[in-house]
Amino acid sequence: MCSYITEQVTIDGSAKGPTGWMTVDRATVYYDHPYHAPFDHSLNIDLVNASEVEGTRVALELSAESARALVRAILAALEQGEQAHRGS
């Protein structure tokens, strides 16, 4: 059974896809069956530029444990980076 649990967020950044670097302005995060990863369910993240041709994206399929570890690493890097650059 598919969960259809999906969140979308507007983002501002760049990602490297199959044809090189691209601007990304939307992330879609969903918990569902992966296309390629060897899991029953995974946390899937698609980074896209909404104005680009459909299909231009960078995709991640992560185990739940890996997704949680990634969230912790992102938050730690942001905290440390912001502390290091305060007052610069």
Side-chain angles (χ1 to χ4, degrees), residues 6-86:
T6 303
E7 298 288 334
Q8 284 193 341
V9 62
T10 300
I11 60 174
D12 185 17
S14 296
K16 191 170 185 181
T19 60
W21 285 97
M22 63 185 205
T23 300
V24 290
D25 60 10
R26 185 178 70 214
T28 303
V29 181
Y30 52 103
Y31 187 79
D32 214 332
H33 300 286
Y35 177 78
H36 185 265
F39 313 119
D40 186 39
H41 287 87
S42 60
L43 183 85
N44 308 304
I45 303 170
D46 291 343
L47 305 175
V48 301
N49 182 327
S51 67
E52 291 290 323
V53 198
E54 191 65 32
T56 305
R57 69 182 182 137
V58 174
L60 295 172
E61 296 177 337
L62 303 170
S63 68
E65 297 80 20
S66 293
R68 288 185 179 98
L70 178 60
V71 168
R72 288 190 297 272
I74 290 169
L75 292 173
L78 281 170
E79 180 65 26
Q80 292 173 37
E82 288 173 342
Q83 284 181 6
H85 294 281
R86 281 194 181 114

